[in-house]
Amino acid sequence: MKWERQIAIADRLFKHIDAVSTDRAASEMFIRETDYTDGEVAQRERSNILMTHPHVAASSKELVQPGDFVTANVMGVPIIVARQDDGSVRAFRNVCRHRCATVVDAEKGHRRQFTCPYHGWTYELHGELRTVPDGEASFPAIDKKKFGLVDVPVAERHGLIWIVPVAGTNLDLKNFLGAEIDEDLSQLGLEGFHPYRTGVFEQPVNWKLLMDGFLEVYHVRYLHATTLSRIAISNLLVVDALERHLRLVSARKDIEKLRDAKPEELNLLPGIILTYILMPSTVIVYVRDHFEIWSIAPHATDPAKSTVTLRFLIPKAVEGDKESAYWDKNWNTVVSAVDAEDWAAARGIQRNLRRDKSGGGECVFGRNEIGLQHFHRYLASSPNRFFYHPAQSAGQP
């Protein structure tokens, strides 16, 4: 984050600390409880928003050499991402064009071609169909050049590989991120960080409840009384709406060490927790020495289920048991606190929500929950997909 931006944010944080205040919206906001339980709402969100936005599928450093690949499940769509011979990446549906079997079961690896284990149909690294057993006799109408793996839009930026999980082309990731977030992530050096560990967690809650937990720090003093509250100031948040996205800055209690720093010597980063909310369901958190990439995905049919993927990125590849122990401790601290506190609260909320659309029942977001208000207004607006331009490829459904 550039120096001038740090100075401006520091000024806002210290003014809030002195006034015991926070950034606030103009008024409260009310939403229906059934927005978290209604199947029609869930399907509309999935179709109109979640399936049309970029999502993180991998770290670039998982795909070093041509032929390196990873598989992922992005918004319920099975994906293969592979490094190509020219250094680019391509992404495909991990679905055979013959009978829709899974082509690659492995989470990651190195291959020059992909062979479906069901009937042996084989695809080149770039997705083109190469071999059809008994093809001339049994599949004479199949044009191999038009029957390859189905491409999905993919882009690589800031050391992350992003995809839109539907067939198409021309994903403009720079436009999606916007100029200021793109600049911040570059200056924070995200591209140089290494993947340490990835975890996938199923939760019996609506995906929005999981997102809501990242969008305010009003709860820190209470929900995290023995964990995060020890290091972070509750109910103090600087919020910047950057086009469709958000930058949230909360203060660590030891930020006071920076109060008297000369402006030209200020490095605010050790005194804050920096969070980027990339609409609609990606969260990037920078905490002193590592990044956490959180991806939230709804269940395909059940509005009361969702999946969380957490990627831990660290400054350099681990060397030795001492470093492994340090990062394992960090990982375990984050996951255990989130599961026992944030997700436990979300599970309780989900049980309490109304499902009867005929009655009342509202949730209220306070003026100090400005991030929540922005997020839910964004979902309600169903924005146009101006950063994604669908285009069918020949022979692909």
Side-chain angles (χ1 to χ4, degrees):
M1 182 185 293
K2 68 181 184 181
W3 174 76
E4 295 86 353
R5 196 164 294 149
Q6 292 189 47
I7 293 294
I9 291 173
D11 182 64
R12 292 163 67 186
L13 285 170
F14 285 122
K15 285 180 178 177
H16 281 318
I17 290 171
D18 293 341
V20 192
S21 63
T22 186
D23 282 6
R24 302 187 195 278
S27 63
E28 298 93 333
M29 176 182 174
F30 298 84
I31 68 164
R32 299 167 299 178
E33 290 184 36
T34 53
D35 280 357
Y36 296 99
T37 60
D38 188 337
E40 293 179 5
V41 170
Q43 187 57 46
R44 188 163 61 248
E45 291 169 349
R46 181 177 175 81
S47 299
N48 295 347
I49 303 174
L50 289 156
M51 294 296 288
T52 62
H53 285 61
H55 304 276
V56 176
S59 164
S60 295
K61 288 183 169 57
E62 295 178 81
L63 304 172
V64 178
Q65 301 295 331
D68 289 351
F69 74 89
V70 298
T71 59
N73 187 297
V74 181
M75 295 295 145
V77 179
I79 300 294
I80 305 170
V81 183
R83 181 72 67 188
Q84 301 297 299
D85 288 327
D86 64 358
S88 66
V89 292
R90 291 187 67 175
F92 317 97
R93 290 186 68 211
N94 189 9
V95 177
C96 184
R97 297 297 302 280
H98 173 215
R99 298 265 297 280
C100 296
T102 299
V103 178
V104 181
D105 287 320
E107 292 183 3
K108 61 180 64 179
H110 181 92
R111 297 181 188 177
R112 299 301 305 177
Q113 59 189 31
F114 304 110
T115 299
C116 178
Y118 197 7
H119 296 95
W121 284 38
T122 299
Y123 303 87
E124 301 280 8
L125 183 63
H126 57 268
E128 184 175 311
L129 181 59
R130 176 180 181 179
T131 302
V132 177
D134 196 32
E136 290 185 7
S138 297
F139 298 91
I142 294 298
D143 183 346
K144 292 180 183 177
K145 293 186 179 298
K146 296 182 179 180
F147 228 72
L149 295 173
V150 176
D151 280 281
V152 295
V154 62
E156 188 171 15
R157 197 168 185 84
H158 301 303
L160 299 174
I161 295 169
W162 311 67
I163 70 163
V164 174
V166 293
T169 57
N170 302 327
L171 169 57
D172 186 348
L173 188 57
K174 186 175 181 180
N175 189 26
F176 169 73
L177 292 173
E180 193 160 322
I181 289 179
D182 193 61
E183 182 180 58
D184 277 6
L185 295 179
S186 176
Q187 294 180 347
L188 288 167
L190 175 56
E191 185 173 0
F193 279 65
H194 294 252
Y196 180 68
R197 189 169 176 181
T198 298
V200 180
F201 309 91
E202 305 292 334
Q203 290 297 313
V205 299
N206 183 271
W207 72 279
K208 296 192 294 291
L209 286 177
L210 300 177
M211 287 296 297
D212 288 350
F214 289 102
L215 291 161
E216 48 89 4
V217 295
Y218 182 34
H219 69 276
V220 168
R221 177 181 178 184
Y222 308 99
L223 189 62
H224 302 303
T226 62
T227 53
L228 184 58
S229 184
R230 293 177 176 178
I231 64 170
I233 300 175
S234 187
N235 202 31
L236 191 168
L237 194 63
V238 166
V239 181
D240 289 309
L242 304 174
E243 299 182 31
R244 68 190 68 81
H245 307 308
L246 292 171
R247 180 177 58 222
L248 311 177
V249 183
S250 57
R252 300 172 64 98
K253 290 181 177 179
D254 57 6
I255 195 175
E256 289 294 341
K257 297 177 183 178
L258 306 176
R259 185 185 284 270
D260 297 325
K262 296 178 181 179
E264 63 272 18
E265 298 175 355
L266 178 67
N267 176 16
L268 183 63
L269 298 177
I272 62 175
I273 299 171
L274 182 58
T275 302
Y276 296 92
I277 307 296
L278 305 182
M279 298 296 164
S281 63
T282 299
V283 180
I284 298 179
V285 182
Y286 177 77
V287 187
R288 282 192 171 175
D289 60 1
H290 72 276
F291 281 94
E292 300 163 17
I293 313 294
W294 299 82
S295 302
I296 317 297
H299 189 272
T301 58
D302 189 341
K305 292 181 180 179
S306 52
T307 302
V308 183
T309 301
L310 169 60
R311 295 177 172 88
F312 232 58
L313 304 182
I314 62 177
K316 65 182 184 70
V318 167
E319 299 177 357
D321 294 341
K322 185 176 180 180
E323 290 186 9
S324 291
Y326 172 80
W327 290 114
D328 282 343
K329 181 179 179 181
N330 270 264
W331 170 274
N332 292 331
T333 297
V334 170
V335 171
S336 61
V338 168
D339 184 57
E341 297 167 0
D342 296 275
W343 294 347
R347 292 189 290 265
I349 293 170
Q350 190 71 50
R351 290 191 295 268
N352 295 338
L353 291 169
R354 296 179 64 101
R355 291 162 178 79
D356 180 7
K357 291 188 286 186
S358 64
E362 291 180 321
C363 297
V364 57
F365 301 143
R367 293 179 59 216
N368 60 339
E369 295 174 311
I370 188 171
L372 284 161
Q373 295 194 25
H374 178 98
F375 171 63
H376 286 268
R377 286 197 178 98
Y378 180 83
L379 296 182
S381 71
S382 296
N384 293 326
R385 303 177 295 175
F386 61 87
F387 51 84
Y388 167 63
H389 311 288
Q392 299 291 62
S393 298
Q396 295 185 349

Coordinates of all heavy atoms in Angstrom, one line a residue, residues 293-366:
I293 N -6.5 -16.2 1.9 CA -7.5 -16.1 0.8 C -8.7 -16.9 1.2 O -8.6 -18.2 1.2 CB -6.9 -16.5 -0.5 CG1 -5.5 -15.9 -0.7 CG2 -7.8 -16.1 -1.6 CD1 -5.4 -14.4 -0.8
W294 N -9.8 -16.3 1.4 CA -11.0 -17.0 1.8 C -12.0 -17.0 0.6 O -12.3 -15.9 0.1 CB -11.7 -16.4 3.0 CG -10.9 -16.3 4.2 CD1 -9.9 -15.4 4.6 CD2 -11.0 -17.2 5.4 NE1 -9.4 -15.7 5.8 CE2 -10.1 -16.8 6.3 CE3 -11.8 -18.3 5.6 CZ2 -9.9 -17.5 7.5 CZ3 -11.6 -19.0 6.8 CH2 -10.7 -18.5 7.8
S295 N -12.5 -18.2 0.2 CA -13.4 -18.3 -0.9 C -14.7 -18.9 -0.4 O -14.6 -20.0 0.2 CB -12.9 -19.1 -2.1 OG -11.7 -18.5 -2.5
I296 N -15.8 -18.3 -0.5 CA -17.1 -18.8 0.0 C -18.0 -19.2 -1.1 O -18.2 -18.4 -2.1 CB -17.8 -17.7 0.8 CG1 -16.8 -16.9 1.8 CG2 -19.0 -18.3 1.6 CD1 -16.2 -17.8 2.8
A297 N -18.5 -20.4 -1.1 CA -19.4 -20.9 -2.2 C -20.7 -21.5 -1.6 O -20.6 -22.3 -0.6 CB -18.6 -22.0 -2.9
P298 N -21.8 -21.2 -2.2 CA -23.1 -21.7 -1.7 C -23.2 -23.2 -2.2 O -22.6 -23.6 -3.2 CB -24.1 -20.8 -2.4 CG -23.4 -20.4 -3.7 CD -22.0 -20.3 -3.3
H299 N -24.1 -23.9 -1.5 CA -24.5 -25.2 -2.0 C -25.3 -25.1 -3.3 O -25.9 -24.1 -3.5 CB -25.3 -25.9 -0.9 CG -25.6 -27.4 -1.2 ND1 -26.7 -27.8 -1.9 CD2 -24.9 -28.5 -0.9 CE1 -26.7 -29.1 -2.0 NE2 -25.6 -29.6 -1.4
A300 N -25.2 -26.1 -4.2 CA -25.9 -26.0 -5.4 C -27.4 -25.9 -5.3 O -28.1 -25.3 -6.1 CB -25.6 -27.2 -6.3
T301 N -28.0 -26.5 -4.2 CA -29.5 -26.5 -4.1 C -30.0 -26.1 -2.7 O -31.1 -25.6 -2.6 CB -30.0 -27.9 -4.4 OG1 -29.4 -28.9 -3.5 CG2 -29.7 -28.3 -5.9
D302 N -29.2 -26.2 -1.7 CA -29.6 -26.0 -0.3 C -29.1 -24.6 0.2 O -27.9 -24.4 0.4 CB -29.1 -27.1 0.6 CG -29.7 -27.0 2.0 OD1 -30.3 -26.0 2.4 OD2 -29.7 -28.1 2.7
P303 N -30.0 -23.7 0.4 CA -29.6 -22.3 0.9 C -29.0 -22.3 2.2 O -28.3 -21.4 2.6 CB -30.8 -21.5 0.8 CG -32.0 -22.5 0.9 CD -31.5 -23.7 0.2
A304 N -29.1 -23.4 3.0 CA -28.6 -23.5 4.3 C -27.3 -24.3 4.4 O -26.9 -24.8 5.5 CB -29.6 -24.1 5.3
K305 N -26.6 -24.4 3.3 CA -25.3 -25.1 3.2 C -24.3 -24.3 2.4 O -24.7 -23.6 1.4 CB -25.4 -26.5 2.7 CG -26.2 -27.5 3.5 CD -26.2 -28.9 2.9 CE -27.0 -29.8 3.7 NZ -27.0 -31.2 3.1
S306 N -23.0 -24.4 2.7 CA -22.0 -23.7 1.9 C -20.6 -24.3 2.2 O -20.5 -25.1 3.1 CB -22.0 -22.2 2.3 OG -21.9 -22.0 3.7
T307 N -19.7 -23.9 1.4 CA -18.3 -24.4 1.5 C -17.3 -23.2 1.6 O -17.4 -22.3 0.8 CB -17.9 -25.3 0.2 OG1 -18.9 -26.3 0.1 CG2 -16.5 -25.8 0.3
V308 N -16.4 -23.4 2.5 CA -15.3 -22.4 2.6 C -14.0 -23.0 2.2 O -13.6 -24.1 2.7 CB -15.2 -21.9 4.1 CG1 -14.2 -20.8 4.2 CG2 -16.6 -21.4 4.6
T309 N -13.2 -22.3 1.4 CA -11.9 -22.7 1.1 C -10.9 -21.6 1.6 O -11.1 -20.4 1.3 CB -11.7 -22.9 -0.4 OG1 -12.6 -23.8 -0.9 CG2 -10.2 -23.3 -0.7
L310 N -10.0 -22.0 2.4 CA -9.0 -21.1 3.0 C -7.6 -21.5 2.4 O -7.2 -22.6 2.5 CB -8.9 -21.2 4.5 CG -7.8 -20.5 5.2 CD1 -7.8 -19.0 4.9 CD2 -7.8 -20.7 6.7
R311 N -7.0 -20.5 1.8 CA -5.6 -20.6 1.3 C -4.7 -19.7 2.2 O -4.9 -18.5 2.3 CB -5.5 -20.3 -0.2 CG -6.3 -21.2 -1.1 CD -6.2 -20.8 -2.5 NE -6.8 -21.8 -3.4 CZ -8.1 -21.8 -3.7 NH1 -8.9 -20.9 -3.2 NH2 -8.5 -22.8 -4.5
F312 N -3.6 -20.3 2.7 CA -2.6 -19.6 3.6 C -1.4 -19.4 2.7 O -0.8 -20.3 2.2 CB -2.3 -20.5 4.7 CG -2.4 -19.8 6.1 CD1 -3.6 -19.3 6.5 CD2 -1.3 -19.7 6.9 CE1 -3.7 -18.7 7.7 CE2 -1.4 -19.1 8.2 CZ -2.6 -18.6 8.6
L313 N -1.1 -18.1 2.5 CA 0.1 -17.7 1.7 C 1.1 -17.1 2.6 O 0.8 -16.2 3.4 CB -0.3 -16.8 0.6 CG -1.4 -17.3 -0.4 CD1 -1.6 -16.2 -1.5 CD2 -1.0 -18.6 -1.0
I314 N 2.4 -17.5 2.5 CA 3.5 -17.0 3.4 C 4.6 -16.5 2.5 O 4.7 -16.7 1.3 CB 3.9 -18.2 4.3 CG1 4.5 -19.3 3.5 CG2 2.8 -18.7 5.1 CD1 5.1 -20.5 4.3
P315 N 5.5 -15.7 3.2 CA 6.5 -14.9 2.4 C 7.5 -15.7 1.6 O 7.9 -15.3 0.6 CB 7.2 -14.1 3.5 CG 6.3 -14.0 4.6 CD 5.5 -15.3 4.6
K316 N 7.8 -16.9 2.1 CA 8.8 -17.8 1.4 C 8.5 -19.2 1.7 O 7.8 -19.5 2.7 CB 10.2 -17.4 1.8 CG 10.6 -17.7 3.2 CD 12.0 -17.3 3.5 CE 12.4 -17.7 4.9 NZ 12.6 -19.1 5.1
A317 N 9.0 -20.1 0.8 CA 8.8 -21.5 1.0 C 9.4 -21.9 2.4 O 10.5 -21.4 2.8 CB 9.4 -22.3 -0.1
V318 N 8.8 -22.9 3.0 CA 9.2 -23.3 4.4 C 10.5 -24.1 4.3 O 10.7 -24.9 3.4 CB 8.1 -24.2 5.0 CG1 8.6 -24.9 6.2 CG2 6.9 -23.3 5.4
E319 N 11.4 -23.8 5.2 CA 12.7 -24.5 5.3 C 12.8 -25.0 6.8 O 13.1 -24.2 7.7 CB 13.8 -23.6 5.0 CG 13.8 -23.0 3.6 CD 14.9 -22.1 3.3 OE1 15.7 -21.8 4.2 OE2 15.0 -21.6 2.1
G320 N 12.6 -26.3 7.0 CA 12.9 -26.9 8.3 C 11.6 -27.0 9.2 O 10.6 -26.3 8.9
D321 N 11.8 -27.8 10.2 CA 10.7 -28.1 11.1 C 10.3 -26.8 11.9 O 9.1 -26.7 12.3 CB 11.1 -29.2 12.1 CG 11.3 -30.5 11.4 OD1 10.7 -30.6 10.3 OD2 11.9 -31.4 11.9
K322 N 11.2 -26.0 12.3 CA 10.9 -24.8 13.1 C 9.9 -23.9 12.4 O 9.0 -23.4 12.9 CB 12.2 -24.0 13.5 CG 11.9 -22.9 14.4 CD 13.3 -22.2 14.8 CE 13.0 -21.0 15.8 NZ 14.3 -20.4 16.2
E323 N 10.2 -23.6 11.1 CA 9.3 -22.8 10.3 C 8.0 -23.5 10.1 O 6.9 -22.8 10.1 CB 9.9 -22.4 8.9 CG 11.1 -21.5 9.1 CD 11.7 -21.1 7.7 OE1 11.0 -21.4 6.7 OE2 12.7 -20.4 7.7
S324 N 8.0 -24.8 9.9 CA 6.7 -25.5 9.7 C 5.9 -25.4 11.0 O 4.6 -25.2 10.9 CB 7.0 -27.0 9.4 OG 7.5 -27.1 8.1
A325 N 6.5 -25.5 12.1 CA 5.8 -25.4 13.4 C 5.2 -24.1 13.6 O 4.0 -23.9 14.1 CB 6.7 -25.8 14.6
Y326 N 5.9 -23.0 13.2 CA 5.4 -21.7 13.3 C 4.1 -21.5 12.4 O 3.1 -20.9 12.9 CB 6.5 -20.7 12.9 CG 6.0 -19.2 12.8 CD1 5.8 -18.5 13.9 CD2 5.7 -18.7 11.5 CE1 5.4 -17.1 13.8 CE2 5.2 -17.4 11.5 CZ 5.1 -16.6 12.6 OH 4.6 -15.3 12.5
W327 N 4.2 -21.9 11.2 CA 3.1 -21.7 10.3 C 1.9 -22.6 10.6 O 0.7 -22.3 10.5 CB 3.5 -21.8 8.9 CG 4.3 -20.7 8.4 CD1 5.7 -20.7 8.0 CD2 4.0 -19.3 8.4 NE1 6.1 -19.5 7.8 CE2 5.1 -18.6 7.9 CE3 2.8 -18.6 8.6 CZ2 5.1 -17.2 7.8 CZ3 2.7 -17.3 8.5 CH2 3.9 -16.5 8.1
D328 N 2.2 -23.9 11.1 CA 1.1 -24.7 11.6 C 0.4 -24.1 12.8 O -0.8 -24.2 12.9 CB 1.7 -26.1 12.0 CG 2.0 -27.0 10.9 OD1 1.5 -26.7 9.7 OD2 2.8 -28.0 11.1
K329 N 1.1 -23.5 13.7 CA 0.5 -22.8 14.8 C -0.4 -21.7 14.3 O -1.5 -21.5 14.8 CB 1.6 -22.3 15.8 CG 1.0 -21.6 17.0 CD 2.1 -21.1 17.9 CE 1.5 -20.4 19.2 NZ 2.6 -19.9 20.1
N330 N 0.1 -20.9 13.4 CA -0.7 -19.8 12.8 C -2.0 -20.3 12.2 O -3.1 -19.8 12.4 CB 0.1 -19.0 11.8 CG 0.9 -17.9 12.4 OD1 0.5 -16.7 12.4 ND2 2.1 -18.2 12.9
W331 N -1.8 -21.3 11.4 CA -3.0 -22.0 10.7 C -4.0 -22.5 11.7 O -5.2 -22.2 11.6 CB -2.5 -23.1 9.8 CG -3.6 -23.9 9.2 CD1 -4.2 -25.0 9.8 CD2 -4.3 -23.8 8.0 NE1 -5.2 -25.5 9.0 CE2 -5.3 -24.8 7.9 CE3 -4.2 -22.9 6.9 CZ2 -6.2 -24.9 6.8 CZ3 -5.0 -23.0 5.9 CH2 -6.0 -24.0 5.8
N332 N -3.5 -23.2 12.7 CA -4.4 -23.8 13.7 C -5.1 -22.7 14.5 O -6.3 -22.9 14.9 CB -3.7 -24.8 14.6 CG -3.2 -26.0 13.9 OD1 -3.8 -26.4 12.9 ND2 -2.1 -26.6 14.3
T333 N -4.4 -21.7 14.8 CA -5.0 -20.6 15.6 C -6.2 -19.9 14.8 O -7.3 -19.7 15.4 CB -4.0 -19.5 16.0 OG1 -2.9 -20.1 16.8 CG2 -4.6 -18.3 16.7
V334 N -6.0 -19.7 13.6 CA -7.0 -19.0 12.7 C -8.2 -20.0 12.6 O -9.3 -19.6 12.9 CB -6.4 -18.6 11.4 CG1 -7.6 -18.2 10.4 CG2 -5.4 -17.5 11.5
V335 N -7.9 -21.2 12.2 CA -9.0 -22.1 11.9 C -9.8 -22.5 13.1 O -11.1 -22.5 13.1 CB -8.5 -23.4 11.2 CG1 -9.6 -24.5 11.1 CG2 -7.9 -23.1 9.8
S336 N -9.2 -22.7 14.2 CA -9.9 -23.1 15.5 C -10.7 -21.9 16.0 O -11.9 -22.1 16.4 CB -8.9 -23.5 16.6 OG -8.0 -22.5 16.9
A337 N -10.2 -20.7 15.9 CA -11.0 -19.5 16.4 C -12.2 -19.3 15.5 O -13.3 -19.0 16.0 CB -10.1 -18.3 16.5
V338 N -12.0 -19.3 14.2 CA -13.1 -19.1 13.3 C -14.2 -20.1 13.4 O -15.4 -19.8 13.5 CB -12.5 -19.1 11.8 CG1 -13.7 -19.1 10.8 CG2 -11.7 -17.8 11.6
D339 N -13.8 -21.4 13.6 CA -14.8 -22.5 13.7 C -15.5 -22.4 15.0 O -16.7 -22.5 15.1 CB -14.1 -23.8 13.5 CG -15.1 -25.0 13.5 OD1 -16.1 -24.9 12.7 OD2 -15.0 -25.8 14.4
A340 N -14.8 -22.2 16.1 CA -15.4 -22.2 17.4 C -16.2 -20.9 17.7 O -17.0 -20.9 18.6 CB -14.3 -22.4 18.5
E341 N -15.9 -19.8 17.0 CA -16.5 -18.6 17.3 C -17.3 -18.0 16.2 O -18.6 -18.0 16.2 CB -15.4 -17.6 17.7 CG -14.7 -18.0 19.0 CD -13.4 -17.3 19.3 OE1 -13.0 -16.4 18.6 OE2 -12.8 -17.6 20.4
D342 N -16.7 -17.6 15.1 CA -17.5 -17.1 13.9 C -18.5 -18.0 13.3 O -19.7 -17.7 13.2 CB -16.5 -16.6 12.8 CG -15.6 -15.5 13.3 OD1 -16.0 -14.3 13.2 OD2 -14.5 -15.8 13.7
W343 N -18.0 -19.2 13.0 CA -18.9 -20.2 12.3 C -19.9 -20.8 13.3 O -21.0 -21.1 12.9 CB -18.1 -21.3 11.7 CG -17.2 -20.8 10.5 CD1 -17.3 -19.6 9.9 CD2 -16.2 -21.5 9.9 NE1 -16.4 -19.5 8.9 CE2 -15.7 -20.6 8.8 CE3 -15.6 -22.8 10.0 CZ2 -14.6 -21.0 8.0 CZ3 -14.5 -23.1 9.2 CH2 -14.1 -22.2 8.2
A344 N -19.5 -20.9 14.6 CA -20.5 -21.4 15.6 C -21.6 -20.4 15.7 O -22.8 -20.7 15.8 CB -19.8 -21.6 16.9
A345 N -21.3 -19.1 15.7 CA -22.3 -18.0 15.7 C -23.2 -18.1 14.5 O -24.4 -18.0 14.6 CB -21.7 -16.7 15.9
A346 N -22.6 -18.3 13.3 CA -23.4 -18.4 12.1 C -24.3 -19.6 12.1 O -25.4 -19.5 11.6 CB -22.4 -18.5 10.9
R347 N -23.8 -20.7 12.6 CA -24.6 -21.9 12.7 C -25.9 -21.7 13.6 O -27.0 -22.1 13.3 CB -23.8 -23.1 13.2 CG -22.8 -23.6 12.2 CD -22.1 -24.9 12.7 NE -21.2 -24.8 13.8 CZ -19.9 -24.6 13.8 NH1 -19.3 -24.4 12.6 NH2 -19.2 -24.5 14.9
G348 N -25.6 -20.9 14.7 CA -26.8 -20.6 15.6 C -27.8 -19.7 14.9 O -29.0 -19.8 15.0
I349 N -27.2 -18.7 14.2 CA -28.1 -17.8 13.4 C -29.0 -18.5 12.4 O -30.2 -18.3 12.3 CB -27.3 -16.7 12.7 CG1 -26.6 -15.8 13.8 CG2 -28.2 -15.9 11.8 CD1 -25.6 -14.8 13.2
Q350 N -28.3 -19.4 11.7 CA -29.1 -20.2 10.7 C -30.2 -21.0 11.3 O -31.3 -21.0 10.7 CB -28.1 -21.2 10.0 CG -28.7 -21.8 8.7 CD -28.9 -20.8 7.6 OE1 -28.0 -20.1 7.2 NE2 -30.1 -20.8 7.0
R351 N -30.0 -21.5 12.5 CA -31.1 -22.3 13.1 C -32.2 -21.4 13.6 O -33.4 -21.8 13.6 CB -30.5 -23.0 14.4 CG -29.6 -24.2 14.0 CD -29.3 -25.0 15.3 NE -28.6 -24.3 16.3 CZ -27.2 -24.3 16.4 NH1 -26.5 -24.9 15.5 NH2 -26.6 -23.6 17.3
N352 N -31.9 -20.1 13.8 CA -32.9 -19.2 14.4 C -33.7 -18.5 13.3 O -34.8 -17.9 13.6 CB -32.2 -18.1 15.2 CG -31.6 -18.7 16.5 OD1 -32.0 -19.7 16.9 ND2 -30.6 -18.0 17.0
L353 N -33.3 -18.5 12.0 CA -33.9 -17.7 11.0 C -35.3 -18.2 10.6 O -35.5 -19.4 10.6 CB -33.0 -17.7 9.8 CG -31.7 -16.9 9.9 CD1 -30.8 -17.2 8.7 CD2 -31.9 -15.4 10.0
R354 N -36.2 -17.3 10.2 CA -37.5 -17.6 9.7 C -37.4 -18.2 8.3 O -36.5 -17.8 7.5 CB -38.4 -16.4 9.7 CG -38.7 -15.7 11.0 CD -39.5 -14.5 10.8 NE -40.8 -14.8 10.2 CZ -41.9 -14.9 10.9 NH1 -41.9 -14.7 12.2 NH2 -43.1 -15.2 10.4
R355 N -38.3 -19.1 8.1 CA -38.4 -19.7 6.7 C -39.7 -19.4 6.1 O -39.9 -19.7 4.9 CB -38.1 -21.2 6.8 CG -36.7 -21.5 7.1 CD -36.4 -22.9 7.6 NE -35.0 -23.2 7.9 CZ -34.4 -22.8 9.0 NH1 -35.0 -22.1 9.9 NH2 -33.1 -23.1 9.1
D356 N -40.6 -18.9 6.9 CA -42.0 -18.6 6.4 C -42.0 -17.2 5.8 O -41.9 -16.2 6.5 CB -43.0 -18.7 7.6 CG -44.4 -18.4 7.2 OD1 -44.6 -18.2 6.0 OD2 -45.2 -18.3 8.1
K357 N -42.2 -17.1 4.5 CA -42.2 -15.8 3.8 C -43.4 -15.0 4.0 O -43.5 -13.9 3.6 CB -41.9 -16.1 2.3 CG -40.5 -16.6 1.9 CD -40.3 -16.6 0.4 CE -41.0 -17.8 -0.2 NZ -40.7 -17.9 -1.7
S358 N -44.4 -15.6 4.5 CA -45.7 -14.9 4.7 C -45.7 -13.9 5.8 O -46.5 -13.0 5.9 CB -46.9 -15.9 4.9 OG -46.7 -16.6 6.1
G359 N -44.8 -14.1 6.8 CA -44.8 -13.3 8.0 C -43.7 -12.2 7.9 O -43.1 -12.0 6.9
G360 N -43.4 -11.6 9.0 CA -42.4 -10.6 9.1 C -41.1 -11.2 9.4 O -40.8 -12.3 9.0
G361 N -40.2 -10.5 10.1 CA -38.9 -11.0 10.5 C -37.8 -10.3 9.7 O -37.7 -10.6 8.5
E362 N -37.1 -9.5 10.4 CA -36.0 -8.7 9.8 C -34.8 -8.8 10.6 O -34.8 -8.9 11.8 CB -36.5 -7.2 9.6 CG -37.6 -7.0 8.6 CD -37.9 -5.5 8.5 OE1 -37.9 -4.8 9.6 OE2 -38.2 -5.1 7.4
C363 N -33.7 -8.6 9.9 CA -32.4 -8.4 10.6 C -32.0 -6.9 10.3 O -32.4 -6.3 9.3 CB -31.3 -9.2 10.0 SG -31.5 -11.0 10.2
V364 N -31.3 -6.3 11.3 CA -30.9 -4.9 11.2 C -29.4 -4.8 11.2 O -28.8 -5.4 12.0 CB -31.6 -4.1 12.3 CG1 -31.2 -4.6 13.7 CG2 -31.2 -2.6 12.1
F365 N -28.9 -4.0 10.2 CA -27.5 -3.7 10.2 C -27.4 -2.2 10.7 O -28.0 -1.3 10.2 CB -26.9 -3.8 8.8 CG -27.1 -5.1 8.2 CD1 -27.4 -5.3 6.8 CD2 -27.0 -6.3 9.0 CE1 -27.5 -6.5 6.3 CE2 -27.1 -7.5 8.4 CZ -27.4 -7.7 7.1
G366 N -26.5 -2.0 11.7 CA -26.3 -0.7 12.3 C -25.5 0.2 11.4 O -24.9 -0.2 10.4

